[in-house]
Amino acid sequence: MEPSAPRKAGCEQEDGFGVQPRRVADLGMVPNLRRSNSSLCKSRRLQCPFSSSEKQEHLSSWIPENIKKKECVYFVESSKLSDAGKVVCECGYTREQHLEEATKPHAFQGKEWDPKKHVQEMPTDAFGDIVFVGLGQKVGKYVRVSQDTPSSVIYHLMTQHWGLDVPNLLISVTGGAKNFNMKLRLKSIFRRGLVKVAQTTGAWIITGGSHAGVMKQVGEAVRDFSLSSGYKDGEVITIGVATWGTIHNREGLVHPMGGFPAEYVLDEEGQGNLTCLDSNHSHFILVDDGTHGQYGVEIPLRTQLEKFISEQTKERGGVAIKIPIVCVVLEGGPGTLHTIYNAVTHGTPCVIVEGSGRVADVIAQVASLPVSDITISLIQQKLSELFQELFETFTEGRIVEWTKKIQDIVRKRQLLTIFREGKDGQQDVDVAILQALLKASRSQDHFGHENWDHQLKLAVAWNRVDIARSEIFTDEWQWKPSDLHPTMTAALISNKPEFVKLFLENGVRLKELVTWDALLYLYENLEPSCLFHSKLQKVLAEEHLAGVPTAPRLQMYHVAQVLRELLGDSTQPLYPRPRHGDRPRLSLPVPHIKLNVQGVSLRSLYKRSSGHITFTMDPVRDLLIWAIVQNRRELAGIIWAQSQDCIAAALACSKILKELSKEEEDTDSSEEMLALADEYELRAIGVFTECYRKDEERAQKLLIRVSEAWGKTTCLQLALEAKDMKFVSHGGIQAFLTKVWWGQLCVDNGLWRVILCMLAFPLLLTGLISFREKRLQALGGPARARAFFSAPVVVFHLNILSYFAFLCLFAYVLMVDFQATPSWSECLIYLWLFSLVCEETRQLFYDPDECGLMKMASLYFSDFWNKLDVGAIVLFIVGLTCRLIPATLYPGRVILSLDFIMFCLRLMHIFTVSKTLGPKIIIVKRMMKDVFFFLFLLAVWVVSFGVAKQAILIHNESRVDWIFRGVVYHSYLTIFGQIPAYIDGVNFDLAHCSPNGTDPYKPKCPESDATQQRPAFPEWLTVILLCLYLLFTNILLLNLLIAMFNYTFQQVQEHTDQIWKFQRHDLIEEYHGRPPAPPPFILLSHLQLLIKRVVLKIPAKRHKQLKNKLEKNEEAALLSWEIYLKENYLNNQQYQHHQRPEQRIQDISEKVDSMVDLLDMDRLKRSGPTEQRLASLEEQVAQVARSLHWIVRTLKDSGFGSVAGAPALALAKAPDEPDAELAGRRKEEEPGDGYHVNARHLLYPSSPVTRFPVPNEKVPWETEFLLYEPPFYTAERKDAALTDPVGENPMGRTGLRGRGSLSCFGPNHMLHPVVTRWRRNQDGAICRKSIKKMLEVLVVKRPLSELWALPGGSREPGETLPRKLKQILLREAWEAAEGLLQRGVEVYKGYVDDPRNTDNAWIETVAISVHFPDQNNVELKRLNSHLHACDPGVSIRWQVVDKRIPLYENHKTILQKTATLFGAHY
């Protein structure tokens, strides 16, 4: 029953996952070959970038070592001449094209030319870059390889040296090698669809590479795409595998050390019987067998290469899949049919483009028919219609072979997809190709969920969410959210937001997805080019340098360390450092689906025991941060829409992005980050606006609520850290700040009332001031006074009055009362300044958030006004020190006078609270920066003119002060109109200067004539210099300064209001936490604070008005309200997006395009049934004509005719058949179409023998088949019976005579036990599906086999048990097994359709059902205990009975009969 067919390479590997050990061994045999994993390749390229010349040198040494060509080494003159009439060798090359050794007499002389002996391998001499002369600057890659080159070497060359990424899909395009005509619309659809599927899925397209036929069509499709697409769309990888000996002008490609580039001339006119390479292919593999002009040499190597690539695994985002392959067929001849047959035989799906001609149309036209209707006469008719001139060359035997192959192709409809223009769901070729792959995957036998899971991995790898929606997420399979978790993680890592959205729509919850280990896995798989990744590596390196003995593994506290740098120290670490003895990491592998990446099983991340808490505090937050740090816009947007604390999340994202943009070196990435930061600020504003409109008080609670998820910070703090001025300047936030500013006072109190009550506080008792809380109105004076004087607005104005008093007293002391001994007023100044020093010290050490002294110091000195305060205080202390020393009394007064200026400048900060003056002060600050830049330009002109003037006028001035005056001071004053009188010689007077420079109060005289009392310097030159100087400084530079000021004013004026509102917060917060008493009375408050902090150890706390921690119930209700309003905001945004004119125009355009497509399809649909009706009508008319002719002839002859001879009228075909493929599929489901199928497969298993083709109609022995001449084959076996061929196969012809690989002629008897039990759940109840009970069957899997089997087979002579059943049972259980079989029920007895059957030997079997209805059955328990595989490679298991399980087809038939016997599910 089990065919011994050759297994596919790598069949020990489970479908699509894991890395094959044998493949690694193959790669290891190649010199200098390394792993060809795409991620490894990329990391290598990142770490060790090679220059272009180094790459060429490396390639020039590697390729000749590993890749060979073929050369003829023995010249044997052929009877044929070359196209030029020259004598050629049997290999096709002329004598001149051979090596010298080949033309000399040697050992081969006198022998016939044999390619195996006379063609030898040598290092290849044609490789490098290829440029097509006159066809643009596009550079491709090429290499000449021997036909025996291992596929692993070529694959290594493509992925490692040519730098190609491992494909997600392999598209093998085959068909006509000569030019053919296609309908323009079909050609356009094919080109567009082929390139679209290649570009969107990251596929490789493999063709024959020549500039003709289907290869030319593919090349033109790629060319059209490259012309119409942008650079970011990427290049379509098109690989041409051609025969070296058939390429025209190939001499230009020969470069022993590599052509970089090699110039190739595409000359179609002069190619003759050869062919040219197609200029639109990107890579060429030129297969050489040492001959010239022989086509088809590349086919075996191309087949092996495609098979090898399809066995590789592509890993992305933790999900590994086998690279799927699809064959696309256009037109074609006999070679194309053979290619399709081989593809279908090996399980490769094929897409046939109907309407392209010849073979493609033959298969397309019969694909919907039952196999029994595909007859030799039908194929003969189709060939005569579609091949026309070539039809006469078809022999009868060839037509029989074609019929057999087409029957076998159509029989595997699951691998066959016919693309018909206008067919429903197949408007594009790309959809047809991907649907074909999914259909083929769906038809493969998998264990339930595995099949759908594999299809989903394919769709994710291709990044085709449209295919996933239409083909995978259907009613056929109900996805569990947990089943989607590994694929969801892969979609996140590979940045496929559309799939993330799709998974969320299908029930995936981020809170269940993001476990602690899954989050760590995501951070381990950050993009290597990501800035956050490099920051993490830096943290790990620092930890390693700090004394960690081994390289530290990434942990979440490392991530938290980097995030705290980005979010600011006002936030607590999001992921605390784990304490010793924390929960162990648990990693459980999952059978059947291996998603192994670097030793980590992705699916195991989601398999945790219930005893471990693996979820983080806020999984959505964690995922959002992971997306934001990689600047993934769409992905972050989808996750943010799922977030709970959405305003804080948006502000945190804005902060992170702004910080990353500062360090990002790539300008484009930096700009993208800033744009995304602005977008998240707008999102925060949008949600807050919705909240504020609904409820102002609750919205303001959101601002100051302590967010545990975001490091115990508040939304307001995050906005201030991120400098989100638009958010802070929002009306709701400004209203909140105003409320904080007024404290417990009503905000509608006039400022004049406040000042009046400050000056005469008894007025508080009169009700002049109103309070927000009504209870304060009713309370007495002390409570009102406390509330009044603690309000920040009152504290601020008291400090203003105090500061003005301080400045007045300071000025009085400096100008009037500055004595040698300090007076009482001066002592009061000292006391006042001491109170200011104490207040600045309090601000420095005020740390309610416990950030630490260093952080508070950095925050304190980051404010310009604090620096000014410290500078003024330090300068005052220096002046005071000098003042108290009698010798430096005057310098002390000068220093204090300068210090007075600094104290006066401090007034500007006080007035920033004013809505009128505040914005102007901001403008002045910005203009100060312009002045500094201007001074640099001005200094250039001032110094250059001053030095030149001084050198021309004055000779050897040695006094430094007068040099400075002449060079800088006088030149600077000249700008303002103070022109030196002596510069032009008109007002020259020696009395105003010192001739020798000895007078300290006079400048040195200019160069002059002492006798004539006239200047000796060139007056004309100094005048010209002065004019030029004034021109550039007064006119150019000063106007430039004015223009700069104007630009700054215009620029700042637009945002002045926002800046003022943003900076207003700092002043409000400062006076909100400031003691109410003004200096110098503030010393009493400082004394009280000193006692509380130092003596009583009471920590500082932030006032609830700026940071409030809510109760859990209140916080949950507030967040739920925020989520509800966030949904409103998102809906409004979506509505506004659809209402934009551009979007509406796009929507209308799409609807018009859809309508045009529907009209075109409707036209095609209508024409199709009409043609069917006309054909049916014609057939009916012909039948009627023949019937009438028969009636007339019969009546004429005898008057009565034989009823048996009357032609039967043909039934009309149903024109409205919804899908002919479905109709045909029903018959196809019938096993063997009434005949054996496997026994007629052309390739006999485990041998090179090919059967004689036997179509369905020629199977019965009774049917005449004169051409039938099957080969004879009998394999050598030790246990074979030595008898002559006897008997004929009872099911008919098989195409092979002899015993084959069976043990005897005639029937070979086998026994197959079907051991079953009921499938039960954990409670012991029998599981059901669709009402029916579910069975479990005992199955076995042999080494190197992909399919499971029933434990049976042939029996030894005289034995009862099959040999393979004995191999899985212990010897002591054999007797009990014999008893079970004797009591079992026979479910089948007869012929078995096996690929080993021949005309003279076949298999017959008896299937015995052994069922255990009770789970506590003693014999069942004994059987389970005795199950033991003697071979370690054999697997045994109880498998659920289902039609989709991977079991041999013959065994499935037996299993179906058993399920029917028990009324169980199948």
Side-chain angles (χ1 to χ4, degrees):
M1 286 285 291
E2 293 178 40
S4 55
R7 309 301 178 197
K8 294 180 182 179
C11 59
E12 73 279 0
Q13 176 192 358
E14 296 181 77
D15 193 29
F17 304 100
V19 179
Q20 299 181 25
R22 189 178 66 81
R23 186 185 314 133
V24 175
D26 290 345
L27 292 176
M29 292 187 293
V30 183
N32 302 329
L33 213 57
R34 297 179 292 273
R35 289 180 297 164
S36 56
N37 182 280
S38 62
S39 60
L40 180 67
C41 174
K42 286 183 180 177
S43 63
R44 187 181 294 120
R45 286 200 295 266
L46 286 171
Q47 293 172 4
C48 307
F50 291 108
S51 66
S52 178
S53 59
E54 289 174 339
K55 285 182 180 178
Q56 292 176 8
E57 290 177 7
H58 182 62
L59 208 60
S60 298
S61 61
W62 186 88
I63 287 184
E65 289 178 11
N66 296 278
I67 297 178
K68 310 298 180 184
K69 66 174 182 176
K70 287 286 185 81
E71 283 277 2
C72 176
V73 296
Y74 180 50
F75 183 87
V76 176
E77 187 174 323
S78 173
S79 59
K80 299 177 183 179
L81 298 177
S82 69
D83 294 340
K86 293 184 178 181
V87 176
V88 294
C89 174
E90 288 287 348
C91 68
Y93 286 102
T94 63
R95 187 181 297 272
E96 293 77 15
Q97 292 172 323
H98 279 67
L99 299 172
E100 290 185 14
E101 293 78 9
T103 59
K104 294 179 180 179
H106 47 56
F108 294 135
Q109 191 167 3
K111 297 183 179 179
E112 292 184 359
W113 191 83
D114 185 357
K116 294 182 180 178
K117 297 179 180 178
H118 301 155
V119 175
Q120 295 182 1
E121 285 190 343
M122 300 180 181
T124 188
D125 58 358
F127 61 91
D129 300 337
I130 182 171
V131 173
F132 289 81
V133 177
L135 295 175
Q137 297 299 316
K138 182 180 177 182
V139 179
K141 304 284 186 183
Y142 77 99
V143 64
R144 174 185 181 183
V145 302
S146 165
Q147 64 177 0
D148 302 324
T149 305
S151 298
S152 57
V153 176
I154 300 175
Y155 183 72
H156 177 83
L157 169 70
M158 292 191 291
T159 55
Q160 299 296 306
H161 297 281
W162 284 354
L164 297 182
D165 289 333
V166 177
N168 293 313
L169 171 64
L170 197 64
I171 304 173
S172 178
V173 184
T174 188
K178 295 182 179 180
N179 292 328
F180 57 91
N181 295 321
M182 285 175 66
K183 296 178 184 177
L184 289 177
R185 178 177 169 81
L186 181 61
K187 184 188 292 186
S188 174
I189 291 173
F190 169 74
R191 290 183 179 182
R192 182 179 67 244
L194 180 69
V195 174
K196 181 179 179 183
V197 72
Q199 199 268 329
T200 56
T201 63
W204 289 358
I205 301 175
I206 296 185
T207 75
S210 60
H211 191 63
V214 67
M215 295 79 76
K216 186 176 180 180
Q217 296 286 348
V218 173
E220 291 176 351
V222 173
R223 179 200 62 195
D224 295 344
F225 167 77
S226 61
L227 292 175
S228 61
S229 64
Y231 173 76
K232 290 185 178 180
D233 290 334
E235 182 187 11
V236 175
I237 305 302
T238 319
I239 302 168
V241 183
T243 302
W244 170 262
T246 62
I247 299 171
H248 181 53
N249 288 337
R250 60 182 179 273
E251 298 80 12
L253 301 178
V254 176
H255 293 275
M257 296 308 295
F260 299 104
E263 295 185 348
Y264 181 80
V265 179
L266 197 157
D267 178 21
E268 288 187 90
E269 295 181 358
Q271 66 184 16
N273 294 326
L274 301 180
T275 184
C276 293
L277 296 177
D278 184 72
S279 60
N280 297 306
H281 283 60
S282 59
H283 300 77
F284 295 94
I285 298 170
L286 310 176
V287 185
D288 185 16
D289 70 338
T291 64
H292 168 79
Q294 297 292 329
Y295 283 92
V297 171
E298 83 285 355
I299 293 175
L301 185 138
R302 175 177 170 179
T303 304
Q304 294 168 12
L305 179 63
E306 290 173 353
K307 182 182 178 184
F308 179 84
I309 295 173
S310 66
E311 291 170 354
Q312 306 304 301
T313 53
K314 171 69 181 285
E315 183 276 319
R316 184 71 191 272
V319 172
I321 61 169
K322 265 188 175 180
I323 300 171
I325 180 174
V326 63
C327 180
V328 179
V329 182
L330 275 81
E331 212 242 5
T336 302
L337 179 66
H338 183 67
T339 301
I340 300 170
Y341 180 79
N342 286 337
V344 170
T345 302
H346 290 96
T348 300
C350 294
V351 177
I352 312 294
V353 180
E354 187 179 25
S356 57
R358 300 209 298 172
V359 165
D361 282 2
V362 172
I363 296 175
Q365 291 176 17
V366 303
S368 60
L369 299 175
V371 176
S372 57
D373 290 356
I374 303 174
T375 60
I376 297 174
S377 60
L378 177 64
I379 297 301
Q380 188 173 6
Q381 177 192 343
K382 297 295 181 184
L383 292 176
S384 65
E385 293 173 359
L386 295 167
F387 279 78
Q388 296 176 353
E389 302 89 358
L390 290 175
F391 177 69
E392 296 180 359
T393 63
F394 282 89
T395 62
E396 188 177 354
R398 198 172 184 187
I399 293 175
V400 169
E401 181 187 354
W402 276 53
T403 305
K404 166 61 178 167
K405 286 184 175 179
I406 292 174
Q407 285 179 350
D408 288 349
I409 290 169
V410 173
R411 188 173 281 113
K412 295 192 176 182
R413 302 177 195 272
Q414 71 275 12
L415 298 176
L416 205 60
T417 299
I418 309 300
F419 175 78
R420 295 184 175 95
E421 181 188 356
K423 183 182 176 184
D424 288 337
Q426 285 193 359
Q427 296 89 341
D428 293 313
V429 174
D430 64 308
V431 176
I433 291 173
L434 299 181
Q435 285 178 339
L437 284 160
L438 291 181
K439 186 169 75 171
S441 172
R442 200 175 295 131
S443 68
Q444 293 176 1
D445 292 326
H446 291 279
F447 291 112
H449 163 70
E450 289 183 31
N451 181 35
W452 292 96
D453 195 50
H454 180 66
Q455 293 182 54
L456 183 58
K457 290 184 180 72
L458 289 177
V460 173
W462 302 331
N463 197 21
R464 291 298 295 263
V465 74
D466 55 331
I467 298 295
R469 287 184 188 277
S470 61
E471 300 291 327
I472 299 172
F473 287 92
T474 61
D475 295 335
E476 294 183 47
W477 181 261
Q478 297 299 320
W479 288 94
K480 295 179 182 178
S482 58
D483 294 338
L484 296 173
H485 284 175
T487 321
M488 173 76 160
T489 305
L492 287 168
I493 292 174
S494 52
N495 192 22
K496 293 173 180 172
E498 291 298 324
F499 273 99
V500 172
K501 191 184 297 183
L502 177 65
F503 295 148
L504 291 173
E505 292 170 1
N506 283 275
V508 172
R509 297 185 62 199
L510 296 180
K511 292 185 178 179
E512 297 173 358
L513 171 78
V514 186
T515 63
W516 191 268
D517 291 332
L519 184 62
L520 186 60
Y521 179 80
L522 288 173
Y523 276 104
E524 287 172 346
N525 286 274
L526 286 173
E527 287 283 349
S529 59
C530 168
L531 175 62
F532 195 85
H533 179 266
S534 62
K535 292 177 76 69
L536 277 178
Q537 296 303 316
K538 186 178 179 182
V539 168
L540 290 173
E542 289 174 354
E543 184 172 313
H544 182 55
L545 292 173
V548 179
T550 59
R553 186 172 181 270
L554 179 67
Q555 298 293 341
M556 289 311 299
Y557 67 85
H558 296 127
V559 177
Q561 185 176 337
V562 180
L563 285 176
R564 197 173 188 198
E565 292 178 13
L566 299 175
L567 285 171
D569 288 335
S570 61
T571 60
Q572 298 295 320
L574 300 186
Y575 312 108
R577 184 184 289 267
R579 297 183 299 275
H580 182 68
D582 272 0
R583 62 169 182 81
R585 295 178 59 81
L586 183 63
S587 183
L588 301 177
V590 179
H592 317 310
I593 301 180
K594 299 177 183 176
L595 303 171
N596 294 327
V597 184
Q598 299 173 353
V600 177
S601 176
L602 182 55
R603 188 172 287 278
S604 71
L605 297 174
Y606 300 99
K607 302 289 279 185
R608 296 286 182 266
S609 63
S610 57
H612 290 103
I613 301 172
T614 61
F615 297 102
T616 59
M617 179 191 297
D618 189 346
V620 182
R621 170 208 66 181
D622 301 327
L623 206 55
L624 177 62
I625 293 173
W626 178 83
I628 280 293
V629 297
Q630 297 180 89
N631 196 24
R632 294 183 173 180
R633 185 192 195 102
E634 295 179 29
L635 197 59
I638 294 169
I639 299 168
W640 180 82
Q642 304 288 320
S643 63
Q644 191 175 23
D645 196 356
C646 54
I647 297 178
L651 294 170
C653 290
S654 176
K655 168 66 174 170
I656 291 171
L657 288 165
K658 286 181 178 178
E659 290 299 320
L660 287 174
S661 68
K662 295 176 184 176
E663 301 181 42
E664 181 59 59
E665 296 177 357
D666 183 16
T667 307
D668 292 338
S669 298
S670 179
E671 290 176 356
E672 288 175 7
M673 287 178 179
L674 289 174
L676 190 55
D678 291 340
E679 181 181 324
Y680 274 95
E681 183 181 359
L682 292 176
R683 290 189 181 194
I685 294 171
V687 177
F688 183 77
T689 302
E690 292 285 336
C691 297
Y692 191 71
R693 286 174 183 167
K694 283 284 183 183
D695 191 330
E696 296 181 10
E697 187 176 348
R698 296 182 82 179
Q700 291 173 355
K701 274 187 180 180
L702 282 172
L703 286 177
I704 58 171
R705 178 190 65 86
V706 173
S707 175
E708 294 288 339
W710 291 99
K712 298 182 180 179
T713 187
T714 65
C715 291
L716 190 57
Q717 276 184 305
L718 283 170
L720 293 166
E721 287 278 353
K723 292 185 172 57
D724 288 334
M725 296 185 184
K726 293 177 185 175
F727 182 81
V728 177
S729 62
H730 187 277
I733 298 171
Q734 289 301 306
F736 166 74
L737 291 177
T738 302
K739 189 162 68 173
V740 173
W741 179 243
W742 285 89
Q744 299 182 54
L745 308 180
C746 287
V747 295
D748 55 358
N749 284 312
L751 190 58
W752 65 271
R753 295 183 184 182
V754 174
I755 295 174
L756 194 60
C757 289
M758 284 167 49
L759 298 175
F761 60 87
L763 292 174
L764 290 172
L765 303 175
T766 63
L768 183 65
I769 294 293
S770 57
F771 296 87
R772 277 208 308 272
E773 297 182 14
K774 293 183 179 180
R775 64 180 185 84
L776 288 173
Q777 296 289 130
L779 292 175
R784 288 190 184 185
R786 189 181 303 108
F788 176 78
F789 284 105
S790 62
V793 63
V794 176
V795 175
F796 173 73
H797 285 94
L798 284 173
N799 277 271
I800 286 179
L801 293 176
S802 169
Y803 200 72
F804 271 111
F806 167 72
L807 290 178
C808 292
L809 185 60
F810 196 3
Y812 171 78
V813 169
L814 286 174
M815 295 187 296
V816 179
D817 194 19
F818 197 83
Q819 308 294 334
T821 303
S823 62
W824 66 269
S825 56
E826 191 173 349
C827 292
L828 182 58
I829 288 291
Y830 299 156
L831 179 65
W832 215 310
L833 187 76
F834 179 70
S835 67
L836 292 177
V837 171
C838 292
E839 175 57 22
E840 295 299 325
T841 306
R842 184 198 66 80
Q843 291 180 21
L844 176 62
F845 288 96
Y846 179 61
D847 186 15
D849 298 321
E850 299 179 358
C851 296
L853 179 61
M854 294 302 296
K855 179 59 182 175
M856 291 309 301
S858 64
L859 286 174
Y860 177 83
F861 285 105
S862 64
D863 187 3
F864 170 77
W865 300 110
N866 286 336
K867 294 176 185 175
L868 188 65
D869 287 339
V870 172
I873 291 169
V874 170
L875 193 60
F876 188 92
I877 294 171
V878 173
L880 178 61
T881 304
C882 295
R883 184 253 181 279
L884 295 176
I885 300 172
T888 57
L889 177 64
Y890 180 71
R893 192 178 75 180
V894 172
I895 293 172
L896 291 174
S897 301
L898 296 175
D899 193 35
F900 179 79
I901 299 174
M902 297 183 69
F903 278 114
C904 287
L905 290 175
R906 189 64 173 79
L907 283 173
M908 293 177 67
H909 177 53
I910 294 173
F911 290 118
T912 53
V913 77
S914 169
K915 194 169 186 178
T916 305
L917 292 175
K920 302 301 182 288
I921 294 172
I922 294 167
I923 292 174
V924 169
K925 285 176 64 178
R926 294 293 179 91
M927 287 182 174
M928 290 295 292
K929 296 179 181 178
D930 292 339
V931 168
F932 283 114
F933 287 113
F934 170 78
L935 287 177
F936 171 75
L937 295 175
L938 183 64
V940 173
W941 286 97
V942 168
V943 172
S944 60
F945 173 74
V947 170
K949 175 184 72 73
Q950 183 78 1
I952 292 170
L953 294 180
I954 299 172
H955 178 67
N956 292 343
E957 173 65 81
S958 58
R959 295 172 296 175
V960 177
D961 55 336
W962 282 103
I963 290 175
F964 178 78
R965 286 186 182 185
V967 172
V968 179
Y969 181 61
H970 290 160
S971 299
Y972 180 72
L973 292 180
T974 303
I975 298 174
F976 302 100
Q978 294 189 16
I979 300 172
Y982 51 83
I983 199 164
D984 57 356
V986 175
N987 298 320
F988 183 76
D989 188 359
L990 291 174
H992 293 98
C993 60
S994 173
N996 298 321
T998 54
D999 190 345
Y1001 301 105
K1002 289 183 181 182
K1004 189 174 182 181
C1005 290
E1007 295 283 352
S1008 58
D1009 187 351
T1011 58
Q1012 298 182 6
Q1013 299 289 312
R1014 291 183 58 82
F1017 57 86
E1019 301 170 29
W1020 61 272
L1021 181 58
T1022 55
V1023 170
I1024 290 175
L1025 288 177
L1026 179 63
C1027 292
L1028 290 174
Y1029 174 66
L1030 293 176
L1031 174 67
F1032 280 99
T1033 53
N1034 278 27
I1035 297 176
L1036 183 64
L1037 291 183
L1038 288 180
N1039 281 284
L1040 174 64
L1041 180 63
I1042 294 169
M1044 290 168 65
F1045 282 168
N1046 184 55
Y1047 174 76
T1048 302
F1049 181 83
Q1050 294 293 338
Q1051 190 180 40
V1052 176
Q1053 185 67 20
E1054 298 174 6
H1055 308 287
T1056 301
D1057 190 55
Q1058 287 182 6
I1059 298 170
W1060 170 75
K1061 288 177 178 177
F1062 180 80
Q1063 294 183 349
R1064 177 172 174 249
H1065 168 272
D1066 295 337
L1067 192 69
I1068 292 173
E1069 186 178 23
E1070 179 184 343
Y1071 283 94
H1072 181 268
R1074 198 180 183 112
F1081 306 107
I1082 199 172
L1083 288 172
L1084 299 175
S1085 300
H1086 293 153
L1087 181 62
Q1088 179 191 8
L1089 284 172
L1090 185 66
I1091 295 171
K1092 286 174 66 177
R1093 301 288 179 267
V1094 178
V1095 180
L1096 301 179
K1097 306 291 185 182
I1098 299 175
K1101 290 185 180 179
R1102 189 178 291 274
H1103 198 279
K1104 282 188 176 182
Q1105 273 192 291
L1106 291 175
K1107 195 170 186 179
N1108 188 17
K1109 184 172 176 59
L1110 303 178
E1111 295 293 331
K1112 287 188 176 180
N1113 293 337
E1114 184 182 3
E1115 184 176 27
L1118 190 65
L1119 291 177
S1120 299
W1121 178 70
E1122 183 188 18
I1123 291 171
Y1124 167 71
L1125 292 173
K1126 176 196 67 180
E1127 296 298 329
N1128 286 352
Y1129 164 74
L1130 291 174
N1131 292 335
N1132 291 336
Q1133 289 292 107
Q1134 191 172 7
Y1135 175 76
Q1136 291 174 11
H1137 175 72
H1138 287 304
Q1139 292 302 312
R1140 290 189 308 171
E1142 300 88 351
Q1143 186 63 34
R1144 298 187 71 174
I1145 291 171
Q1146 184 179 348
D1147 292 342
I1148 293 171
S1149 174
E1150 290 175 357
K1151 290 177 181 177
V1152 170
D1153 291 342
S1154 301
M1155 186 63 67
V1156 170
D1157 290 340
L1158 288 172
L1159 290 173
D1160 289 343
M1161 288 172 59
D1162 185 61
R1163 176 178 58 79
L1164 291 167
K1165 286 179 182 177
R1166 288 183 180 183
S1167 63
T1170 303
E1171 291 175 0
Q1172 288 182 8
R1173 288 191 178 97
L1174 288 173
S1176 178
L1177 183 60
E1178 289 175 357
E1179 190 174 349
Q1180 288 289 324
V1181 170
Q1183 290 281 14
V1184 169
R1186 287 195 296 272
S1187 299
L1188 289 174
H1189 178 69
W1190 173 81
I1191 292 171
V1192 170
R1193 190 179 67 248
T1194 304
L1195 290 174
K1196 188 182 293 185
D1197 293 344
S1198 60
F1200 299 96
S1202 174
V1203 177
L1209 293 176
L1211 295 175
K1213 295 181 181 179
D1216 298 325
E1217 178 69 44
D1219 192 347
E1221 289 184 15
L1222 289 175
R1225 200 172 296 154
R1226 296 192 191 99
K1227 279 197 173 184
E1228 180 264 328
E1229 297 283 84
E1230 299 175 8
D1233 310 302
Y1235 307 109
H1236 51 192
V1237 176
N1238 295 329
R1240 290 184 289 129
H1241 196 282
L1242 292 179
L1243 299 176
Y1244 192 82
S1246 303
S1247 78
V1249 178
T1250 301
R1251 296 180 190 264
F1252 190 90
V1254 182
N1256 271 21
E1257 60 194 286
K1258 299 296 183 181
V1259 172
W1261 293 109
E1262 300 80 17
T1263 304
E1264 186 179 15
F1265 195 11
L1266 299 177
L1267 295 175
Y1268 187 61
E1269 294 182 359
F1272 184 89
Y1273 174 66
T1274 296
E1276 295 183 4
R1277 289 183 56 144
K1278 294 181 180 180
D1279 59 346
L1282 301 175
T1283 58
D1284 295 328
V1286 292
E1288 287 183 336
N1289 192 306
M1291 292 301 292
R1293 297 182 179 93
T1294 64
L1296 185 69
R1297 292 185 298 113
R1299 180 170 46 80
S1301 59
L1302 296 177
S1303 58
C1304 64
F1305 287 98
N1308 289 253
H1309 296 286
M1310 293 189 176
L1311 175 67
H1312 282 89
V1314 187
V1315 185
T1316 57
R1317 67 183 185 187
W1318 295 117
R1319 179 174 175 80
R1320 301 176 185 272
N1321 57 25
Q1322 294 179 349
D1323 300 330
I1326 298 176
C1327 299
R1328 293 177 181 268
K1329 190 170 185 179
S1330 302
I1331 305 176
K1332 292 186 177 181
K1333 297 180 180 179
M1334 299 180 70
L1335 283 171
E1336 287 185 338
V1337 63
L1338 187 68
V1339 290
V1340 181
K1341 191 175 183 181
R1342 304 289 171 186
L1344 305 179
S1345 174
E1346 292 182 341
L1347 299 175
W1348 293 79
L1350 296 174
S1354 60
R1355 292 176 287 183
E1356 300 288 346
E1359 295 290 338
T1360 306
L1361 297 180
R1363 182 172 62 253
K1364 293 181 179 177
L1365 181 61
K1366 289 182 178 180
Q1367 292 175 355
I1368 65 170
L1369 286 175
L1370 297 176
R1371 179 174 291 276
E1372 54 264 30
W1374 289 2
E1375 185 177 348
E1378 291 177 0
L1380 290 173
L1381 287 174
Q1382 290 174 1
R1383 297 195 302 271
V1385 179
E1386 182 180 299
V1387 293
Y1388 178 76
K1389 182 177 182 179
Y1391 179 84
V1392 176
D1393 182 14
D1394 192 279
R1396 293 170 290 177
N1397 292 351
T1398 68
D1399 288 352
N1400 309 118
W1402 60 92
I1403 294 175
E1404 294 182 2
T1405 189
V1406 176
I1408 304 295
S1409 171
V1410 178
H1411 181 64
F1412 298 100
D1414 187 2
Q1415 62 177 339
N1416 296 318
N1417 189 293
V1418 176
E1419 292 180 328
L1420 174 62
K1421 293 182 177 179
R1422 187 185 300 120
L1423 176 66
N1424 284 329
S1425 64
H1426 288 151
L1427 288 175
H1428 174 73
C1430 60
D1431 188 341
V1434 175
S1435 302
I1436 312 167
R1437 67 187 280 176
W1438 288 95
Q1439 174 59 44
V1440 179
V1441 175
D1442 187 272
K1443 65 180 179 180
R1444 302 304 300 274
I1445 62 175
L1447 202 69
Y1448 286 104
E1449 286 295 331
N1450 300 325
H1451 296 192
K1452 277 190 175 184
T1453 305
I1454 296 172
L1455 201 56
Q1456 185 177 10
K1457 293 179 182 295
T1458 306
T1460 305
L1461 175 68
F1462 295 106
H1465 165 75
Y1466 179 71

